Coordinates of all heavy atoms in Angstrom, one line a residue:
M1 N -23.5 -2.3 7.4 CA -22.0 -2.2 7.4 C -21.4 -2.7 6.0 O -21.8 -3.8 5.6 CB -21.4 -3.0 8.5 CG -19.9 -2.8 8.7 SD -19.1 -4.1 9.7 CE -20.0 -5.6 9.3
D2 N -20.5 -2.0 5.5 CA -19.9 -2.4 4.2 C -18.6 -3.2 4.6 O -17.5 -2.7 4.9 CB -19.5 -1.2 3.4 CG -18.9 -1.6 2.0 OD1 -18.5 -2.7 1.9 OD2 -18.9 -0.7 1.1
I3 N -18.8 -4.6 4.5 CA -17.7 -5.5 5.0 C -16.5 -5.3 4.1 O -15.4 -5.3 4.6 CB -18.2 -6.9 5.0 CG1 -19.2 -7.1 6.1 CG2 -17.1 -7.9 5.1 CD1 -19.9 -8.5 6.1
E4 N -16.7 -5.2 2.8 CA -15.5 -5.1 1.9 C -14.7 -3.8 2.2 O -13.5 -3.8 2.1 CB -15.9 -5.2 0.5 CG -16.5 -6.6 0.1 CD -15.6 -7.7 0.5 OE1 -14.3 -7.6 0.3 OE2 -16.1 -8.8 1.0
A5 N -15.4 -2.7 2.5 CA -14.7 -1.5 2.7 C -14.0 -1.6 4.0 O -12.8 -1.1 4.1 CB -15.8 -0.3 2.8
K6 N -14.5 -2.2 5.0 CA -13.8 -2.4 6.3 C -12.6 -3.3 6.1 O -11.5 -3.0 6.7 CB -14.7 -3.0 7.3 CG -15.9 -2.2 7.7 CD -15.8 -1.6 9.1 CE -17.0 -0.8 9.5 NZ -16.7 0.0 10.7
L7 N -12.8 -4.3 5.4 CA -11.6 -5.2 5.1 C -10.5 -4.5 4.4 O -9.3 -4.8 4.7 CB -12.1 -6.4 4.2 CG -12.4 -7.7 4.9 CD1 -12.8 -8.7 3.8 CD2 -11.2 -8.2 5.7
A8 N -10.8 -3.6 3.5 CA -9.8 -2.9 2.8 C -8.9 -2.1 3.7 O -7.8 -1.8 3.3 CB -10.5 -2.0 1.7
T9 N -9.4 -1.7 4.9 CA -8.6 -1.0 5.8 C -7.7 -1.9 6.7 O -7.0 -1.4 7.5 CB -9.5 -0.1 6.7 OG1 -10.2 -0.9 7.6 CG2 -10.4 0.8 5.9
L10 N -7.9 -3.2 6.6 CA -7.2 -4.2 7.4 C -6.6 -5.3 6.5 O -7.1 -6.4 6.4 CB -8.3 -4.9 8.4 CG -9.0 -3.9 9.3 CD1 -10.2 -4.6 9.9 CD2 -8.0 -3.5 10.5
P11 N -5.5 -4.9 5.8 CA -4.9 -5.8 4.8 C -4.4 -7.1 5.4 O -4.2 -8.0 4.6 CB -3.8 -4.9 4.2 CG -3.6 -3.8 5.1 CD -4.8 -3.6 5.9
A12 N -4.1 -7.2 6.7 CA -3.6 -8.4 7.2 C -4.7 -9.5 7.4 O -4.4 -10.6 7.6 CB -2.9 -8.1 8.6
W13 N -5.9 -9.1 7.3 CA -7.0 -10.0 7.5 C -7.7 -10.4 6.2 O -7.8 -9.7 5.2 CB -8.1 -9.3 8.4 CG -7.6 -8.9 9.7 CD1 -6.8 -7.9 10.1 CD2 -7.8 -9.7 10.9 NE1 -6.5 -7.9 11.4 CE2 -7.1 -9.0 12.0 CE3 -8.4 -10.9 11.2 CZ2 -7.1 -9.5 13.3 CZ3 -8.4 -11.4 12.5 CH2 -7.7 -10.7 13.5
R14 N -8.1 -11.7 6.1 CA -8.8 -12.2 5.0 C -10.1 -12.7 5.4 O -10.3 -13.3 6.5 CB -8.0 -13.2 4.2 CG -7.8 -14.5 4.9 CD -7.0 -15.5 4.0 NE -7.1 -16.9 4.6 CZ -6.4 -17.3 5.7 NH1 -5.6 -16.5 6.2 NH2 -6.6 -18.5 6.1
R15 N -11.1 -12.6 4.5 CA -12.4 -13.0 4.9 C -12.6 -14.5 4.4 O -12.2 -14.9 3.3 CB -13.5 -12.2 4.2 CG -14.9 -12.5 4.5 CD -15.9 -11.6 3.8 NE -17.2 -12.0 4.2 CZ -18.3 -11.5 3.6 NH1 -18.2 -10.6 2.7 NH2 -19.5 -11.9 4.0
E16 N -13.2 -15.3 5.3 CA -13.6 -16.6 4.9 C -15.1 -16.8 5.3 O -15.3 -17.0 6.5 CB -12.7 -17.7 5.5 CG -11.5 -18.0 4.7 CD -10.7 -19.1 5.2 OE1 -11.3 -20.1 5.8 OE2 -9.5 -19.1 5.1
G17 N -16.0 -16.6 4.4 CA -17.4 -16.7 4.8 C -17.8 -15.6 5.8 O -17.6 -14.4 5.6
E18 N -18.3 -16.1 6.9 CA -18.7 -15.2 8.0 C -17.7 -14.9 9.0 O -18.0 -14.6 10.2 CB -20.0 -15.8 8.7 CG -21.2 -15.8 7.7 CD -21.5 -14.5 7.1 OE1 -21.5 -13.5 7.8 OE2 -21.8 -14.4 5.9
E19 N -16.4 -15.2 8.7 CA -15.3 -14.9 9.6 C -14.2 -14.1 8.9 O -14.1 -14.0 7.7 CB -14.6 -16.3 10.0 CG -15.5 -17.2 10.7 CD -14.9 -18.6 10.9 OE1 -13.9 -18.9 10.2 OE2 -15.4 -19.3 11.8
I20 N -13.4 -13.4 9.7 CA -12.1 -12.9 9.2 C -11.0 -13.5 10.0 O -11.1 -13.9 11.2 CB -12.0 -11.3 9.3 CG1 -12.3 -10.8 10.7 CG2 -13.0 -10.7 8.3 CD1 -12.1 -9.3 10.8
R21 N -9.8 -13.7 9.3 CA -8.7 -14.5 9.9 C -7.4 -13.7 9.6 O -7.3 -13.1 8.5 CB -8.5 -15.8 9.2 CG -9.7 -16.8 9.4 CD -9.6 -18.0 8.5 NE -10.7 -18.9 8.8 CZ -10.6 -20.0 9.6 NH1 -9.4 -20.3 10.2 NH2 -11.6 -20.7 9.9
R22 N -6.5 -13.8 10.5 CA -5.1 -13.4 10.3 C -4.1 -14.2 11.1 O -4.5 -14.8 12.1 CB -4.9 -11.9 10.5 CG -4.4 -11.5 11.9 CD -3.7 -10.1 11.9 NE -2.3 -10.2 11.7 CZ -1.4 -9.2 11.8 NH1 -1.8 -8.0 12.2 NH2 -0.1 -9.4 11.6
T23 N -2.9 -14.3 10.6 CA -1.8 -15.0 11.2 C -0.9 -13.9 11.7 O -0.6 -12.9 11.1 CB -1.1 -15.9 10.2 OG1 -2.0 -17.0 9.9 CG2 0.1 -16.6 10.8
I24 N -0.3 -14.1 12.9 CA 0.7 -13.3 13.5 C 1.9 -14.1 13.7 O 1.9 -15.1 14.5 CB 0.3 -12.6 14.8 CG1 -0.9 -11.7 14.6 CG2 1.4 -11.8 15.5 CD1 -1.5 -11.1 15.8
D25 N 3.1 -13.7 13.1 CA 4.3 -14.4 13.4 C 5.1 -13.6 14.4 O 5.7 -12.6 14.0 CB 5.1 -14.6 12.1 CG 4.6 -15.8 11.3 OD1 4.5 -16.9 12.0 OD2 4.4 -15.7 10.2
A26 N 5.1 -14.0 15.6 CA 5.9 -13.2 16.7 C 7.4 -13.6 16.6 O 7.7 -14.6 16.0 CB 5.3 -13.6 18.0
P27 N 8.2 -12.7 17.1 CA 9.7 -13.0 17.1 C 10.0 -14.3 17.8 O 11.0 -15.0 17.5 CB 10.3 -11.8 17.7 CG 9.3 -10.8 17.7 CD 7.9 -11.4 17.7
D28 N 9.3 -14.6 18.9 CA 9.6 -15.8 19.7 C 8.3 -16.2 20.5 O 7.4 -15.4 20.5 CB 10.8 -15.6 20.6 CG 10.7 -14.3 21.4 OD1 9.5 -14.0 21.9 OD2 11.7 -13.6 21.6
F29 N 8.4 -17.3 21.2 CA 7.2 -17.8 21.9 C 6.8 -16.9 23.1 O 5.6 -16.6 23.2 CB 7.5 -19.2 22.4 CG 6.4 -19.8 23.2 CD1 5.2 -20.2 22.5 CD2 6.4 -20.1 24.5 CE1 4.1 -20.8 23.2 CE2 5.4 -20.6 25.2 CZ 4.2 -21.0 24.6
P30 N 7.7 -16.4 23.9 CA 7.3 -15.5 25.0 C 6.6 -14.3 24.4 O 5.6 -13.8 25.0 CB 8.6 -15.1 25.7 CG 9.5 -16.3 25.4 CD 9.2 -16.7 24.0
T31 N 7.0 -13.7 23.3 CA 6.4 -12.6 22.7 C 5.0 -13.0 22.2 O 4.0 -12.2 22.4 CB 7.2 -12.0 21.6 OG1 8.5 -11.7 22.1 CG2 6.6 -10.7 21.0
A32 N 4.9 -14.1 21.6 CA 3.5 -14.6 21.2 C 2.5 -14.6 22.3 O 1.4 -14.2 22.2 CB 3.7 -16.0 20.5
I33 N 3.0 -15.1 23.5 CA 2.1 -15.2 24.6 C 1.8 -13.8 25.2 O 0.6 -13.5 25.6 CB 2.8 -16.1 25.7 CG1 2.9 -17.5 25.2 CG2 1.9 -16.1 27.0 CD1 1.7 -18.2 24.7
R34 N 2.8 -12.9 25.1 CA 2.5 -11.5 25.6 C 1.4 -10.9 24.6 O 0.5 -10.2 25.1 CB 3.8 -10.7 25.5 CG 4.4 -10.6 26.9 CD 5.7 -9.7 26.9 NE 6.7 -10.5 27.5 CZ 7.8 -10.9 26.8 NH1 8.1 -10.6 25.6 NH2 8.7 -11.7 27.5
I35 N 1.5 -11.1 23.4 CA 0.5 -10.6 22.4 C -0.9 -11.2 22.8 O -1.8 -10.4 22.8 CB 0.9 -11.0 21.0 CG1 2.2 -10.2 20.5 CG2 -0.2 -10.8 20.0 CD1 2.8 -10.6 19.2
V36 N -0.9 -12.5 23.0 CA -2.2 -13.1 23.4 C -2.8 -12.4 24.7 O -4.0 -12.1 24.8 CB -2.1 -14.6 23.6 CG1 -3.3 -15.2 24.3 CG2 -1.8 -15.3 22.3
D37 N -1.9 -12.2 25.6 CA -2.3 -11.5 26.9 C -2.9 -10.1 26.6 O -3.9 -9.8 27.2 CB -1.1 -11.5 27.8 CG -1.5 -11.2 29.3 OD1 -2.5 -11.7 29.7 OD2 -0.8 -10.3 29.9
E38 N -2.2 -9.4 25.8 CA -2.7 -8.0 25.5 C -4.0 -8.1 24.7 O -4.9 -7.2 24.8 CB -1.7 -7.2 24.7 CG -0.5 -6.9 25.7 CD 0.6 -6.0 25.0 OE1 0.2 -5.2 24.1 OE2 1.7 -6.0 25.5
I39 N -4.1 -9.1 23.8 CA -5.4 -9.2 23.1 C -6.5 -9.6 24.0 O -7.7 -9.1 23.9 CB -5.3 -10.4 22.0 CG1 -4.4 -9.9 20.9 CG2 -6.7 -10.8 21.5 CD1 -4.0 -11.0 19.9
A40 N -6.2 -10.4 25.1 CA -7.2 -10.7 26.1 C -7.8 -9.5 26.8 O -9.0 -9.4 27.1 CB -6.6 -11.7 27.1
V41 N -6.9 -8.5 27.1 CA -7.4 -7.3 27.7 C -8.4 -6.6 26.8 O -9.4 -6.1 27.3 CB -6.2 -6.4 28.0 CG1 -6.6 -5.0 28.6 CG2 -5.2 -7.1 29.0
Q42 N -8.0 -6.5 25.5 CA -8.9 -5.8 24.6 C -10.2 -6.6 24.4 O -11.3 -6.0 24.3 CB -8.2 -5.6 23.3 CG -7.0 -4.7 23.3 CD -7.3 -3.3 23.9 OE1 -8.3 -2.7 23.6 NE2 -6.4 -2.8 24.8
A43 N -10.1 -7.9 24.4 CA -11.3 -8.7 24.2 C -12.3 -8.5 25.4 O -13.5 -8.4 25.2 CB -10.9 -10.2 24.0
E44 N -11.7 -8.5 26.6 CA -12.6 -8.3 27.7 C -13.2 -6.9 27.7 O -14.4 -6.7 28.0 CB -11.8 -8.5 29.0 CG -11.5 -9.9 29.3 CD -12.8 -10.7 29.7 OE1 -13.3 -10.5 30.8 OE2 -13.3 -11.4 28.8
E45 N -12.4 -5.9 27.3 CA -13.0 -4.5 27.3 C -14.1 -4.4 26.3 O -15.1 -3.8 26.5 CB -11.8 -3.6 26.9 CG -12.2 -2.1 27.0 CD -11.1 -1.2 26.5 OE1 -10.0 -1.3 27.1 OE2 -11.3 -0.4 25.6
L46 N -14.0 -5.1 25.1 CA -15.1 -5.1 24.1 C -16.1 -6.1 24.3 O -17.2 -6.1 23.6 CB -14.4 -5.3 22.7 CG -13.5 -4.2 22.2 CD1 -12.7 -4.7 21.0 CD2 -14.2 -2.9 21.9
N47 N -15.9 -7.0 25.3 CA -16.7 -8.2 25.4 C -16.9 -8.9 24.1 O -18.0 -9.3 23.6 CB -18.1 -7.9 26.0 CG -18.9 -9.2 26.4 OD1 -18.3 -10.2 26.7 ND2 -20.2 -9.1 26.4
H48 N -15.8 -9.1 23.4 CA -15.7 -9.7 22.1 C -14.4 -10.5 22.0 O -13.4 -9.9 22.2 CB -15.8 -8.7 21.0 CG -16.3 -9.2 19.7 ND1 -17.5 -9.7 19.5 CD2 -15.6 -9.4 18.6 CE1 -17.6 -10.2 18.3 NE2 -16.5 -10.0 17.7
H49 N -14.5 -11.8 21.7 CA -13.4 -12.7 22.0 C -13.0 -13.5 20.7 O -13.8 -14.1 20.1 CB -13.7 -13.6 23.1 CG -14.1 -12.9 24.4 ND1 -15.4 -12.5 24.6 CD2 -13.4 -12.5 25.4 CE1 -15.5 -11.9 25.7 NE2 -14.3 -11.8 26.3
P50 N -11.7 -13.4 20.4 CA -11.3 -14.1 19.2 C -11.0 -15.6 19.5 O -10.7 -16.0 20.6 CB -9.9 -13.5 18.8 CG -9.4 -13.0 20.2 CD -10.6 -12.6 21.0
D51 N -11.1 -16.4 18.5 CA -10.6 -17.8 18.6 C -9.1 -17.7 18.3 O -8.7 -17.0 17.3 CB -11.2 -18.7 17.5 CG -12.7 -19.0 17.8 OD1 -13.1 -18.7 18.9 OD2 -13.4 -19.4 16.9
I52 N -8.3 -18.3 19.2 CA -6.8 -18.1 19.0 C -6.2 -19.5 19.0 O -6.4 -20.3 20.0 CB -6.2 -17.3 20.2 CG1 -6.9 -15.9 20.3 CG2 -4.7 -17.1 19.9 CD1 -6.4 -15.1 21.4
D53 N -5.4 -19.8 18.0 CA -4.7 -21.1 17.9 C -3.2 -20.7 18.1 O -2.7 -19.9 17.2 CB -5.0 -21.7 16.6 CG -4.3 -23.0 16.4 OD1 -4.0 -23.7 17.4 OD2 -3.9 -23.4 15.3
I54 N -2.5 -21.2 19.1 CA -1.1 -20.9 19.3 C -0.2 -22.0 18.9 O -0.4 -23.2 19.4 CB -0.9 -20.6 20.8 CG1 -1.8 -19.5 21.4 CG2 0.6 -20.3 21.1 CD1 -1.8 -19.4 22.9
R55 N 0.6 -21.8 17.9 CA 1.6 -22.8 17.4 C 3.0 -22.2 17.5 O 3.4 -21.4 16.7 CB 1.3 -23.1 15.9 CG -0.1 -23.6 15.7 CD -0.3 -25.0 16.0 NE -1.7 -25.4 16.0 CZ -2.2 -26.4 15.4 NH1 -1.4 -27.2 14.6 NH2 -3.4 -26.7 15.5
W56 N 3.7 -22.5 18.6 CA 5.0 -22.0 18.9 C 4.9 -20.5 18.9 O 4.2 -19.9 19.7 CB 6.1 -22.6 18.0 CG 7.5 -22.1 18.3 CD1 8.0 -21.7 19.5 CD2 8.5 -21.9 17.4 NE1 9.3 -21.3 19.4 CE2 9.6 -21.4 18.1 CE3 8.7 -22.1 16.0 CZ2 10.9 -21.1 17.5 CZ3 9.9 -21.8 15.4 CH2 11.0 -21.3 16.1
R57 N 5.5 -19.8 17.9 CA 5.5 -18.3 17.9 C 4.5 -17.8 16.8 O 4.5 -16.6 16.5 CB 6.9 -17.8 17.7 CG 7.5 -18.2 16.4 CD 9.0 -17.6 16.3 NE 9.6 -18.0 15.0 CZ 9.3 -17.4 13.8 NH1 8.5 -16.4 13.8 NH2 9.9 -17.8 12.7
T58 N 3.7 -18.7 16.3 CA 2.7 -18.3 15.3 C 1.3 -18.3 15.9 O 0.9 -19.4 16.5 CB 2.8 -19.2 14.0 OG1 4.1 -19.1 13.5 CG2 1.7 -18.8 13.0
L59 N 0.5 -17.2 15.8 CA -0.8 -17.2 16.2 C -1.8 -17.2 15.0 O -1.6 -16.4 14.1 CB -1.1 -15.9 17.1 CG -0.1 -15.7 18.2 CD1 -0.4 -14.3 18.9 CD2 -0.3 -16.8 19.3
H60 N -2.8 -18.0 15.1 CA -3.9 -17.9 14.1 C -5.1 -17.4 14.8 O -5.6 -18.0 15.8 CB -4.1 -19.3 13.5 CG -3.0 -19.9 12.8 ND1 -2.6 -19.6 11.5 CD2 -2.0 -20.8 13.3 CE1 -1.5 -20.2 11.2 NE2 -1.1 -21.0 12.2
L61 N -5.6 -16.3 14.3 CA -6.8 -15.6 14.9 C -8.0 -15.6 14.0 O -7.9 -15.4 12.8 CB -6.4 -14.2 15.2 CG -5.3 -14.1 16.3 CD1 -4.2 -13.2 15.8 CD2 -5.9 -13.6 17.6
V62 N -9.1 -15.9 14.6 CA -10.4 -15.9 13.8 C -11.4 -15.1 14.6 O -11.6 -15.2 15.8 CB -11.0 -17.3 13.7 CG1 -12.3 -17.3 12.9 CG2 -9.9 -18.3 13.0
L63 N -12.1 -14.2 13.9 CA -13.1 -13.3 14.4 C -14.4 -13.5 13.7 O -14.5 -13.5 12.5 CB -12.7 -11.8 14.3 CG -11.4 -11.4 15.1 CD1 -11.1 -9.9 14.8 CD2 -11.6 -11.6 16.6
T64 N -15.5 -13.6 14.5 CA -16.8 -13.5 14.0 C -17.7 -13.1 15.2 O -17.3 -13.2 16.3 CB -17.3 -14.8 13.4 OG1 -18.5 -14.6 12.7 CG2 -17.4 -15.9 14.4
T65 N -18.9 -12.8 14.9 CA -19.9 -12.5 16.0 C -20.9 -13.6 16.1 O -21.9 -13.6 15.3 CB -20.5 -11.1 15.8 OG1 -19.5 -10.1 15.6 CG2 -21.4 -10.7 17.0
H66 N -20.6 -14.5 17.0 CA -21.5 -15.7 17.0 C -22.9 -15.4 17.3 O -23.8 -15.9 16.6 CB -21.0 -16.7 18.1 CG -19.6 -17.1 18.0 ND1 -19.2 -18.0 17.0 CD2 -18.4 -16.6 18.6 CE1 -17.9 -18.1 17.1 NE2 -17.4 -17.3 18.0
D67 N -23.2 -14.4 18.2 CA -24.6 -14.2 18.5 C -25.3 -13.4 17.5 O -26.5 -13.2 17.6 CB -24.7 -13.6 20.0 CG -23.8 -12.5 20.3 OD1 -23.3 -11.8 19.3 OD2 -23.6 -12.2 21.5
Q68 N -24.6 -12.9 16.4 CA -25.3 -12.2 15.3 C -25.2 -13.1 14.1 O -25.7 -12.7 13.0 CB -24.7 -10.9 15.0 CG -24.7 -9.9 16.1 CD -26.2 -9.4 16.5 OE1 -27.0 -9.2 15.6 NE2 -26.5 -9.3 17.7
G69 N -24.5 -14.2 14.2 CA -24.4 -15.1 13.0 C -23.6 -14.6 11.9 O -23.8 -15.0 10.7
G70 N -22.6 -13.7 12.2 CA -21.8 -13.1 11.1 C -20.9 -12.0 11.5 O -20.7 -11.8 12.7
L71 N -20.4 -11.3 10.6 CA -19.4 -10.2 10.9 C -20.1 -8.9 11.3 O -21.2 -8.6 10.7 CB -18.5 -9.9 9.7 CG -17.5 -11.1 9.4 CD1 -17.0 -10.9 7.9 CD2 -16.4 -11.1 10.4
T72 N -19.6 -8.3 12.3 CA -20.2 -7.0 12.8 C -19.0 -6.0 13.0 O -17.8 -6.4 12.9 CB -20.9 -7.1 14.1 OG1 -20.0 -7.5 15.1 CG2 -22.0 -8.2 14.0
D73 N -19.4 -4.8 13.3 CA -18.4 -3.7 13.6 C -17.4 -4.2 14.7 O -16.2 -3.8 14.6 CB -19.1 -2.4 14.0 CG -19.6 -1.7 12.8 OD1 -19.0 -1.7 11.7 OD2 -20.6 -1.0 12.9
L74 N -17.9 -4.9 15.6 CA -17.0 -5.4 16.7 C -15.9 -6.2 16.2 O -14.7 -6.1 16.8 CB -17.8 -6.2 17.7 CG -18.5 -5.5 18.9 CD1 -19.3 -6.6 19.7 CD2 -17.5 -4.8 19.8
D75 N -16.1 -7.0 15.2 CA -15.0 -7.8 14.7 C -13.9 -6.9 14.1 O -12.7 -7.2 14.3 CB -15.5 -8.8 13.6 CG -16.5 -9.8 14.2 OD1 -16.1 -10.5 15.1 OD2 -17.7 -9.8 13.8
F76 N -14.3 -5.9 13.4 CA -13.4 -5.0 12.8 C -12.7 -4.1 13.8 O -11.5 -3.7 13.6 CB -14.0 -4.2 11.6 CG -14.5 -5.1 10.5 CD1 -15.8 -5.6 10.4 CD2 -13.6 -5.6 9.6 CE1 -16.2 -6.4 9.5 CE2 -14.0 -6.5 8.6 CZ -15.3 -6.9 8.5
T77 N -13.4 -3.7 14.8 CA -12.8 -2.9 15.9 C -11.7 -3.7 16.6 O -10.6 -3.3 16.8 CB -13.8 -2.5 16.9 OG1 -14.8 -1.7 16.2 CG2 -13.2 -1.7 18.1
L78 N -12.0 -5.0 16.9 CA -11.1 -5.9 17.6 C -9.9 -6.2 16.6 O -8.7 -6.2 17.1 CB -11.7 -7.1 18.1 CG -10.8 -8.1 18.8 CD1 -10.2 -7.5 20.1 CD2 -11.7 -9.3 19.3
A79 N -10.2 -6.4 15.4 CA -9.1 -6.7 14.4 C -8.1 -5.5 14.4 O -6.9 -5.7 14.4 CB -9.7 -6.9 13.0
A80 N -8.6 -4.3 14.4 CA -7.7 -3.1 14.3 C -6.8 -3.1 15.6 O -5.6 -2.8 15.5 CB -8.5 -1.8 14.2
R81 N -7.4 -3.4 16.7 CA -6.7 -3.4 18.0 C -5.6 -4.5 18.0 O -4.5 -4.3 18.5 CB -7.6 -3.5 19.2 CG -8.5 -2.3 19.4 CD -9.3 -2.3 20.7 NE -10.3 -1.3 20.7 CZ -10.9 -1.0 21.8 NH1 -10.7 -1.6 22.9 NH2 -11.8 0.0 21.8
I82 N -6.0 -5.6 17.4 CA -5.0 -6.7 17.4 C -3.8 -6.3 16.5 O -2.7 -6.6 16.8 CB -5.7 -8.0 16.8 CG1 -6.6 -8.6 17.9 CG2 -4.7 -9.1 16.4 CD1 -7.6 -9.7 17.5
D83 N -4.1 -5.7 15.4 CA -3.1 -5.2 14.5 C -2.1 -4.2 15.2 O -0.9 -4.3 15.1 CB -3.6 -4.5 13.3 CG -4.2 -5.4 12.2 OD1 -4.1 -6.6 12.4 OD2 -4.9 -4.9 11.3
D84 N -2.7 -3.3 16.0 CA -1.8 -2.4 16.8 C -0.9 -3.2 17.8 O 0.3 -2.9 17.9 CB -2.7 -1.4 17.6 CG -3.4 -0.4 16.7 OD1 -3.0 -0.3 15.5 OD2 -4.3 0.3 17.2
I85 N -1.5 -4.2 18.4 CA -0.7 -5.0 19.4 C 0.4 -5.7 18.7 O 1.6 -5.7 19.1 CB -1.6 -5.9 20.1 CG1 -2.6 -5.2 21.1 CG2 -0.8 -7.0 20.9 CD1 -3.8 -6.0 21.6
A86 N 0.1 -6.3 17.5 CA 1.1 -7.1 16.8 C 2.2 -6.2 16.3 O 3.4 -6.5 16.5 CB 0.4 -7.8 15.6
A87 N 1.9 -5.0 15.8 CA 2.9 -4.1 15.3 C 3.8 -3.6 16.4 O 5.0 -3.5 16.3 CB 2.2 -2.9 14.7
K88 N 3.2 -3.4 17.6 CA 4.0 -2.9 18.8 C 5.0 -4.0 19.2 O 6.1 -3.6 19.7 CB 3.0 -2.7 19.9 CG 3.5 -1.9 21.1 CD 2.5 -1.7 22.1 CE 2.5 -2.8 23.1 NZ 1.4 -2.7 24.1
H89 N 4.7 -5.2 18.9 CA 5.7 -6.3 19.3 C 6.5 -6.8 18.1 O 7.1 -7.8 18.1 CB 4.9 -7.5 19.9 CG 4.4 -7.2 21.2 ND1 5.1 -7.3 22.4 CD2 3.1 -6.8 21.7 CE1 4.4 -7.0 23.4 NE2 3.2 -6.7 23.0
G90 N 6.5 -6.0 17.0 CA 7.4 -6.3 15.9 C 6.9 -7.5 15.1 O 7.7 -8.3 14.5
A91 N 5.6 -7.8 15.1 CA 5.0 -9.0 14.4 C 4.1 -8.5 13.3 O 3.7 -7.3 13.3 CB 4.3 -9.9 15.4
Ligands
H2B101 C1 -22.8 -13.1 26.6 C2 -21.7 -12.5 25.9 O1 -21.9 -11.1 25.7 C3 -21.5 -13.2 24.5 O2 -21.3 -14.5 24.7 C4 -20.4 -12.5 23.7 C5 -19.0 -12.8 24.3 N1 -18.0 -12.7 23.3 C6 -18.2 -12.9 22.0 N2 -17.2 -13.0 21.2 C7 -17.4 -13.2 19.9 N3 -16.4 -13.2 19.1 N4 -18.6 -13.4 19.4 C8 -19.7 -13.3 20.2 O3 -20.8 -13.5 19.7 C9 -19.5 -13.1 21.6 N5 -20.5 -13.0 22.4

């Protein structure tokens, strides 16, 4: 997998070693929680789960594939779905 090529399609995400990260600024706290809830649905569907830090209406998300010890296609698939969810909620 060409990690840099995948990252180029996901400008909201930045790579830090074997992880990719993005921040989502939701309009308000209830929306932030709705975004997390929708991410949870996708995470379960993919059996791939982000680390999520909730700070009022700001979400910090980290993706990596622990059981492969690095980034895989699953991280980029989930990242794209997270971007769709954020955009849908105006974040
Ligand atoms: C057993 C189960 O498939 C694994 O624990 C899955 C679950 N969700 C996961 N999520 C992430 N982000 N990385 C993993 O390696 C991972 N492993």
Side-chain angles (χ1 to χ4, degrees):
M1 185 197 35
D2 185 340
I3 288 174
E4 293 308 318
K6 295 252 181 194
L7 259 183
T9 69
L10 298 164
W13 296 81
R14 71 177 192 281
R15 184 179 180 190
E16 273 186 31
E18 295 304 318
E19 300 174 340
I20 54 173
R21 298 170 175 262
R22 90 160 273 188
T23 294
I24 295 173
D25 278 311
D28 50 38
F29 180 69
T31 305
I33 297 305
R34 263 181 234 116
I35 290 170
V36 170
D37 193 43
E38 291 185 24
I39 291 171
V41 173
Q42 297 303 320
E44 284 292 284
E45 188 182 304
L46 294 170
N47 190 27
H48 200 67
H49 304 85
D51 293 345
I52 306 175
D53 180 32
I54 303 169
R55 304 277 166 131
W56 182 31
R57 59 182 182 80
T58 300
L59 305 174
H60 299 280
L61 295 129
V62 181
L63 297 176
T64 190
T65 305
H66 302 284
D67 48 19
Q68 300 292 322
L71 291 162
T72 66
D73 281 328
L74 268 178
D75 296 303
F76 295 99
T77 300
L78 182 56
R81 293 190 188 189
I82 289 170
D83 284 355
D84 289 345
I85 291 165
K88 196 177 87 183
H89 288 280

